[in-house]
Amino acid sequence: EDTDGSHWQYLKTTLSRGFVDLLERDDAYERKLVSQGGGASRQVVPKSQTNSRNMARRGLEDFDPIPSAKRYFENVLAGRRFSARRSLLESSNPTLEKSRFLALDSTCDTSWYSDYEKVLEEDNTFAVWKVQPDLDSATLSALDKEVMEQICEAEVKTLSIMKEANVCKKCSDGNCLPPHSLVLLLRNKLNDHQSTCKELMNAYTSQVQAEFTSQLYNCTNEYVDTFDASTLSPGNAPSCPDGYIPTLVDFFFGKDGRTNLRYTSSFFHTYEADVNSVYKIYQQFDGADGNIVLGVYDTVDESFNEIYVDELVVSDMALAVASLGITFCAMLLHTRSPWLTLMGVLQIIYAIPLAYFVYVFIAGLNFFPFLNFIGVFVSAALGADGLFVAVDKFKNARIHNRRGTTEDIAAIALPNAAGAMFLTTSTTMVAFFATCICPVPPILCFAVYCGLMIVFNYVMIIALVFPALCLYDIWLQNGTKNCLIGMCSDKLVVEDDIEDLEKEEPDHDMPLKLSFIHRILSGYYSILHRFKWAVFIASLVAIGLCAYFALNLPLPDSTEVRLLPEGHPLELHFNWRGLILSSSLFSSGTSVQIVFGLKPGDTGVQNDPDTLSKLLLDESFAPKEADSQLYLRDFCDRLFAQDFTSKQYPEYECAMNQFDSWLSEQSTSLTPVDAYVNNCNGASALPLPENVFDQCIISWSQAVNNRDVLQENGTVRILTIEILASISLMSSIPEIDDEWNRFQKFLKEESEIAPSGSNKFIHTSPLWWWFDTNQQMLSTAIGAAGIAIAFSAVVVLFSSRSLLLTLFAAICILYVLAAATATLVSLGWELGFLESVCFAILVGISCDFVIHFGHAYIHFPGHVDRHERTKYAVLHMGPSILAAAATTFAAAIVMLFCKVVFFTKFAMILFMTILHATIGSFVVYIVLNDIFGPAEPTRFIDNLFACGRKDDVSNSTDDDLVLTKHDMDDKSKYEVTMVTKGRSSRNGEEHEVEVILSEKPEQYDSGKGV
């Protein structure tokens, strides 16, 4: 029908083959089934008309075929749509025909009960019932009187709610059509559709129950035994009662003599109602008492679940914003300055649009997944960490030099803070950017955006917080009492001198004292130092145990990504529905396509899922060649002979086989159709002459509306074959992998015997795509972790300039990763889609605290006792690390109250990472340094870099100052100020400089050679 080639051109350049709308082909097939199967008594409405009515019912009259095709495809992916073809097959089955005559009141249309497809229509609401849900093994059965009575009463109350909301199919008397359930089956058996539930149970005597149970038992076994798994059609089961379908019993009923029924279902006719209207009242539906039996509700296609998750995302985002508020409060408590807190908040806020600008306009990423919003909370936590470090560095520098100007303090503190923050920023940034190796767009975009926000957090700290600290210091030195500048500002400059521990210097204007947090840390170090060997041995044991359990982190059993906790009623519905017998019987597997004429490839924008790929034609495909025609004709017989393949429906034939049969029919027909007469040159079978093949098969495909044959400008370019695989989306990862390998092996063997014109075929399936996505998640988690750990080791080596400290840091990072992962294993986690995203965050922030401690450990140059270095590191960086940890803890705890699983998993892994990073740095790393730490940590690396350096100062090109004379005050041993003359080695000019002398002059090193 595509006479001008425009539709083909549109498909080739715009849509991938998987999204081609198949409605017309389905319509044609249904008409063919009716004509062949004697279905004249049943009017078949083409799917295209049905879909149009559905669109109008939902208020979507402006029908767009591309979203429709996507929705069709999503249904195939989820395995939730039962084909209309199956309904046609079942309509001629005697077992189902009996259910057309249910003994229901004459006021109701009972045809709905007999149409399996209509019962399972996507918008119908159905309840799944579980007997004694809190017990591992039930002692009651759904067929027992007390259970049946509760189900009956719950159905009546639910129908009353539906009737009031006008969301059910009504009978002529205005009442809702009863649900398809065991209760209806029992009423039908007793021919009693008017009595109350109590009256019905009075008639449900023990004898009736035994008969009813026996009848269901025999029916179920007969139904399963005669069920044709290859065609997904039931056989002849005369023992079944009227209205029986396998949604009424569970998978275990009837097996091995089992008559105890634990799971059953009730299907309500709500298809004609708006699903949002039903959702608004579904929580009012009666689920029985919850002890004897519990019922949970959803629609066939999980509409309630999807709507509920969308609502939860909004409420959970509010909790996430609340966690930001806690972060800001922690910043205020630590800085004790509203001014500095405001600057810290602004640097976090400004980083968001700056990162977005680079993300869109420089990186060229237009796809912005919801996952990116999670990065805001990572950015806030790490931005607060940077603020704490900058403020503490500045305050400590001021305490060490009380008489210095703000410029002097800034010259010492700000470069030191910038260097320390650069180290931690770089490791976290690289951890996120390393996740960019993942080809899955949402994960890649998340990694890029988070990495950019980390970078701009650092930039904005330097641009906003550093100048704000200078102003803050100037205001305090001028004696301001403004509470917006600093709370308790008169105390800020007299405490926290951790260099001279617990000393009071008589020459100081004010006595020195340790702050509360420093007294706690000093006491902590004393205890750790006393029991260091016991702690060291315990740390080694803990690392070994954690590593052992971490290696047991399993891969997911299925590819399904669930967003609600397991105990939620909607999640219970999802889990329980899989145990209904119909779910196993009609688990039809997944569609797989064999495609000739295409090359595998994606020409779309990789990081924008909204843009699709062009088809990549295989120019070597030549189906018109005689040997290719015969090969393609015989290919299907060998394909469907494999035990892992089956036909989509019993009458399915490959295009080449249908074409061959058509040639045979037309060649012997007294009245051949015009398509044959005008294009096929009287051919009766394959192979056709090459000059006739294309025009003949194209005319045939257009005449019968077959879309497995696609042509361009009169030449066949693509040939497809539809297969039903034996697995589904719910299958385990190993099962999917095995299935893919079976297909791959078969097609590889076929390609070796195929002629050159048809030996480059491919196989494709939604299941393969989803399987590959999960595998990419695993490889990304491992690869990104490897990159981040390697880079972290380099950063630690660069910052500490010590091989031994680098080894200690690696051991600590190993502990953090192993302990956090082992904790998640104990919580029952698997390395699925969501967990892989979280692991990128874990690796990125696991080494930050260690880097801070290592940077502080090497503060003293020369030979200094390891214990003094370790204590200084604990006291100097401990407050900043604890403040950052406490901030992240608080934010994570708030997010643990979210409902969406991703938010809670994100919060849990963030909590566990910070917890073990704090333990690892304060315990493992500190005790290693206290026992084995070097007294001169940088000596080896410094000597390597010093090789070849000239010692002659006169040859130096730096502007060093050489002291020539001085005027020194000898009255004090400490902090003696002297004024001396210095001569520049570059130009010989003399400069007057002030030098502070002390027992530890390196504490006052300005970095300028003094």
Side-chain angles (χ1 to χ4, degrees):
E1 299 173 1
D2 185 22
T3 55
D4 60 354
S6 60
H7 184 63
W8 162 247
Q9 190 67 21
Y10 168 73
L11 291 179
K12 188 177 72 169
T13 59
T14 308
L15 294 175
S16 78
R17 181 65 180 91
F19 286 136
V20 174
D21 194 353
L22 303 178
L23 292 179
E24 292 184 19
R25 186 177 71 180
D26 289 346
D27 292 347
Y29 181 75
E30 291 175 6
R31 288 192 295 270
K32 180 179 178 182
L33 277 185
V34 173
S35 63
Q36 292 179 350
S41 61
R42 172 173 175 161
Q43 181 181 3
V44 178
V45 181
K47 275 189 179 178
S48 56
Q49 297 180 26
T50 305
N51 284 348
S52 298
R53 289 203 302 268
N54 294 344
M55 290 295 147
R57 178 168 59 85
R58 291 174 172 83
L60 301 174
E61 289 82 358
D62 297 329
F63 179 71
D64 185 349
I66 295 179
S68 174
K70 288 184 178 180
R71 181 170 178 81
Y72 170 84
F73 219 63
E74 290 166 357
N75 288 330
V76 174
L77 271 172
R80 299 173 186 141
R81 178 180 291 276
F82 287 83
S83 172
R85 304 185 182 103
R86 186 181 310 139
S87 176
L88 289 169
L89 289 169
E90 293 170 348
S91 64
S92 60
N93 184 272
T95 302
L96 295 180
E97 283 295 333
K98 292 195 301 181
S99 65
R100 293 181 179 275
F101 306 103
L102 293 171
L104 194 59
D105 189 271
S106 59
T107 59
C108 296
D109 178 10
T110 62
S111 62
W112 177 70
Y113 299 112
S114 63
D115 193 326
Y116 191 77
E117 183 189 5
K118 288 184 178 180
V119 173
L120 294 176
E121 188 62 53
E122 57 187 19
D123 285 347
N124 279 334
T125 302
F126 81 101
V128 182
W129 307 94
K130 181 179 181 180
V131 179
Q132 295 176 307
D134 297 330
L135 300 180
D136 293 333
S137 179
T139 57
L140 296 176
S141 169
L143 298 172
D144 290 343
K145 178 180 293 187
E146 59 263 51
V147 179
M148 287 283 283
E149 183 174 3
Q150 286 209 21
I151 294 177
C152 179
E153 295 286 358
E155 290 178 352
V156 170
K157 294 177 182 178
T158 300
L159 284 174
S160 175
I161 296 171
M162 290 182 172
K163 176 184 176 181
E164 183 178 351
N166 196 28
V167 297
C168 60
K169 176 71 173 178
K170 292 185 177 180
C171 302
S172 60
D173 60 359
N175 293 319
C176 292
L177 187 69
H180 190 289
S181 66
L182 283 176
V183 175
L184 179 71
L185 214 63
L186 177 61
R187 288 185 181 276
N188 202 50
K189 174 181 177 61
L190 299 176
N191 196 21
D192 181 4
H193 291 273
Q194 301 298 326
S195 62
T196 64
C197 292
K198 287 189 177 295
E199 293 171 345
L200 180 66
M201 290 303 107
N202 290 334
Y204 189 49
T205 63
S206 58
Q207 180 180 355
V208 174
Q209 178 180 341
E211 294 175 357
F212 191 50
T213 302
S214 176
Q215 188 178 24
L216 285 177
Y217 176 85
N218 295 328
C219 164
T220 300
N221 284 325
E222 188 175 17
Y223 193 99
V224 172
D225 291 340
T226 59
F227 185 82
D228 189 346
S230 63
T231 62
L232 300 177
S233 57
N236 186 12
S239 64
C240 289
D242 294 344
Y244 175 87
I245 56 177
T247 59
L248 298 173
V249 297
D250 59 32
F251 174 78
F252 307 100
F253 184 75
K255 294 184 66 176
D256 301 323
R258 178 172 176 172
T259 58
N260 190 41
L261 178 61
R262 192 168 194 186
Y263 297 89
T264 184
S265 65
S266 302
F267 280 78
F268 297 81
H269 192 308
T270 59
Y271 171 71
E272 297 177 0
D274 178 62
V275 67
N276 290 287
S277 300
V278 184
Y279 171 76
K280 291 178 182 179
I281 61 171
Y282 97 95
Q283 293 184 350
Q284 304 175 33
F285 296 166
D286 197 309
D289 68 353
N291 294 318
I292 294 178
V293 63
L294 174 64
V296 286
Y297 293 80
D298 201 346
T299 64
V300 174
D301 66 343
E302 293 189 271
S303 296
F304 296 168
N305 193 310
E306 295 174 4
I307 297 173
Y308 182 67
V309 169
D310 290 341
E311 291 180 350
L312 284 183
V313 167
V314 177
S315 60
D316 284 358
M317 282 297 293
L319 276 176
V321 171
S323 72
L324 290 181
I326 292 178
T327 300
F328 298 154
C329 291
M331 292 163 63
L332 179 61
L333 289 175
H334 185 80
T335 62
R336 291 177 290 181
S337 168
W339 164 253
L340 294 179
T341 300
L342 175 62
M343 292 300 104
V345 172
L346 289 179
Q347 63 95 3
I348 293 173
I349 293 176
Y350 287 166
I352 297 173
L354 289 172
Y356 183 80
F357 177 84
V358 176
Y359 177 90
V360 174
F361 296 104
I362 296 179
L365 297 172
N366 296 316
F367 178 58
F368 197 84
F370 178 79
L371 199 60
N372 284 9
F373 290 104
I374 299 297
V376 175
F377 310 109
V378 180
S379 172
L382 298 179
D385 184 14
L387 176 69
F388 298 152
V389 172
V391 170
D392 287 351
K393 293 281 187 182
F394 199 95
K395 287 184 177 181
N396 286 332
R398 167 54 70 189
I399 292 170
H400 301 157
N401 187 3
R402 293 178 176 82
R403 299 180 181 87
T405 65
T406 298
E407 290 80 0
D408 295 333
I409 303 304
I412 297 173
L414 299 187
N416 192 8
M421 288 186 296
F422 177 79
L423 297 176
T424 56
T425 297
S426 62
T427 55
T428 308
M429 174 192 67
V430 168
F432 279 113
F433 285 149
T435 310
C436 293
I437 62 176
C438 181
V440 181
I443 307 303
L444 184 146
C445 293
F446 168 76
V448 171
Y449 189 66
C450 286
L452 290 173
M453 281 198 294
I454 299 302
V455 171
F456 281 106
N457 264 336
Y458 177 77
V459 172
M460 296 313 298
I461 286 178
I462 294 176
L464 286 179
V465 176
F466 281 11
L469 279 168
C470 293
L471 292 173
Y472 169 81
D473 187 71
I474 292 172
W475 291 332
L476 289 185
Q477 296 308 307
N478 291 335
T480 182
K481 299 295 184 179
N482 192 332
C483 290
L484 296 179
I485 304 303
M487 299 181 296
C488 307
S489 59
D490 57 321
K491 299 180 181 180
L492 290 182
V493 295
V494 301
E495 62 178 31
D496 289 330
D497 191 346
I498 63 176
E499 305 286 353
D500 301 300
L501 300 177
E502 298 178 341
K503 293 181 181 179
E504 293 189 1
E505 302 302 331
D507 293 339
H508 289 175
D509 295 334
M510 292 175 290
L512 299 175
K513 65 177 181 178
L514 286 176
S515 67
F516 176 70
I517 184 62
H518 284 137
R519 291 197 297 271
I520 292 178
L521 291 175
S522 179
Y524 165 76
Y525 173 76
S526 298
I527 296 174
L528 187 70
H529 178 70
R530 181 181 305 174
F531 299 102
K532 57 181 179 292
W533 283 104
V535 174
F536 171 69
I537 295 174
S539 299
L540 292 181
V541 173
I543 292 174
L545 290 175
C546 290
Y548 171 78
F549 288 107
L551 293 176
N552 293 322
L553 181 65
L555 292 174
D557 291 331
S558 71
T559 57
E560 188 75 26
V561 177
R562 308 302 301 174
L563 295 178
L564 293 178
E566 291 184 359
H568 193 278
L570 292 173
E571 200 64 18
L572 292 177
H573 188 280
F574 172 80
N575 293 326
W576 294 354
R577 67 192 289 175
L579 298 173
I580 299 297
L581 178 60
S582 58
S583 296
S584 60
L585 287 180
F586 292 100
S587 180
S588 56
T590 301
S591 174
V592 179
Q593 276 190 335
I594 307 294
V595 185
F596 295 83
L598 285 182
K599 293 185 292 186
D602 184 4
T603 62
V605 179
Q606 172 66 30
N607 299 320
D608 187 359
D610 293 330
T611 63
L612 301 178
S613 175
K614 295 181 180 179
L615 296 177
L616 302 178
L617 293 177
D618 177 14
E619 300 297 339
S620 67
F621 180 51
K624 65 181 179 181
E625 295 177 356
D627 52 354
S628 291
Q629 294 181 43
L630 295 177
Y631 174 79
L632 293 171
R633 182 196 64 187
D634 300 334
F635 176 82
C636 274
D637 292 336
R638 296 192 298 273
L639 175 64
F640 289 116
Q642 306 301 313
D643 57 1
F644 54 86
T645 63
S646 60
K647 296 181 179 181
Q648 294 272 10
Y649 47 92
E651 291 79 10
Y652 177 82
E653 280 189 282
C654 297
M656 291 296 288
N657 299 86
Q658 291 185 51
F659 178 53
D660 191 43
S661 300
W662 182 76
L663 289 175
S664 177
E665 293 172 1
Q666 294 299 317
S667 64
T668 59
S669 175
L670 298 178
T671 57
V673 297
D674 292 341
Y676 175 80
V677 174
N678 298 333
N679 298 284
C680 298
N681 200 24
S684 60
L686 295 175
L688 274 66
E690 292 187 10
N691 62 340
V692 175
F693 175 79
D694 284 326
Q695 64 186 41
C696 184
I697 193 172
I698 290 171
S699 62
W700 163 79
S701 65
Q702 293 175 348
V704 300
N705 196 27
N706 184 293
R707 290 203 176 183
D708 291 337
V709 178
L710 298 178
Q711 59 91 18
E712 181 184 32
N713 299 328
T715 302
V716 175
R717 302 306 302 268
I718 298 176
L719 187 66
T720 60
I721 300 173
E722 300 282 346
I723 308 167
L724 195 64
S726 59
I727 58 174
S728 67
L729 194 70
M730 300 302 297
S731 301
S732 67
I733 294 292
E735 288 175 337
I736 300 174
D737 189 25
D738 291 341
E739 187 82 351
W740 185 87
N741 285 318
R742 283 194 287 266
F743 272 94
Q744 191 75 357
K745 179 182 178 182
F746 170 76
L747 295 181
K748 182 179 179 181
E749 294 172 351
E750 284 292 321
S751 66
E752 294 175 353
I753 63 175
S756 59
S758 54
N759 65 349
K760 295 181 180 179
F761 41 82
I762 60 175
H763 63 110
T764 181
S765 169
L767 192 59
W768 303 160
W769 307 339
W770 189 234
F771 168 70
D772 182 64
T773 298
N774 278 268
Q775 293 301 101
Q776 294 293 346
M777 291 292 96
L778 174 61
S779 60
T780 295
I782 297 174
I787 295 173
I789 291 173
F791 183 81
S792 298
V794 173
V795 169
V796 171
L797 179 60
F798 173 79
S799 62
S800 65
R801 306 199 307 278
S802 169
L803 294 177
L804 196 56
L805 291 183
T806 302
L807 176 62
F808 294 165
I811 294 173
C812 182
I813 294 172
L814 173 64
Y815 163 77
V816 175
L817 296 178
T821 306
T823 305
L824 300 180
V825 171
S826 68
L827 295 175
W829 282 33
E830 300 170 331
L831 187 58
F833 183 88
L834 302 180
E835 293 81 359
S836 299
V837 177
C838 295
F839 265 89
I841 303 169
L842 186 155
V843 176
I845 62 180
S846 61
C847 58
D848 287 2
F849 296 167
V850 175
I851 292 176
H852 284 313
F853 273 140
H855 192 259
Y857 186 88
I858 66 169
H859 175 78
F860 299 113
H863 189 285
V864 179
D865 182 73
R866 65 169 64 98
H867 306 307
E868 187 174 351
R869 288 182 180 274
T870 304
K871 187 172 185 178
Y872 173 81
V874 171
L875 296 178
H876 185 72
M877 290 308 302
S880 298
I881 293 175
L882 288 176
T887 302
T888 310
F889 281 144
I893 289 174
V894 171
M895 291 186 66
L896 284 174
F897 291 95
C898 293
K899 301 296 184 181
V900 178
V901 169
F902 179 80
F903 286 111
T904 56
K905 285 193 173 183
F906 170 80
M908 178 59 70
I909 201 167
L910 188 62
F911 182 90
M912 288 301 169
T913 301
I914 295 298
L915 173 64
H916 290 294
T918 304
I919 296 173
S921 57
F922 272 91
V923 178
V924 179
Y925 187 74
I926 293 301
V927 80
L928 286 173
N929 280 289
D930 201 46
I931 297 176
F932 306 108
E936 295 182 75
T938 65
R939 179 178 180 181
F940 178 73
I941 300 296
D942 289 344
N943 288 341
L944 289 179
F945 283 100
C947 292
R949 182 180 297 172
K950 296 183 179 180
D951 296 328
D952 187 2
V953 177
S954 62
N955 293 331
S956 173
T957 59
D958 294 333
D959 193 15
D960 297 327
L961 291 176
V962 181
L963 303 183
T964 57
K965 60 179 179 178
H966 60 83
D967 179 15
M968 190 170 93
D969 182 0
D970 293 324
K971 291 182 179 181
S972 174
K973 184 179 179 182
Y974 302 103
E975 290 196 352
V976 178
T977 300
M978 76 171 185
V979 179
T980 183
K981 294 289 185 178
R983 175 178 54 80
S984 171
S985 61
R986 177 175 298 175
N987 52 29
E989 294 180 358
E990 287 191 347
H991 303 272
E992 187 173 270
V993 297
E994 183 182 50
V995 181
I996 299 175
L997 299 183
S998 159
E999 283 189 326
K1000 300 175 183 178
E1002 63 276 0
Q1003 297 176 1
Y1004 305 93
D1005 187 359
S1006 67
K1008 297 181 180 179
V1010 178

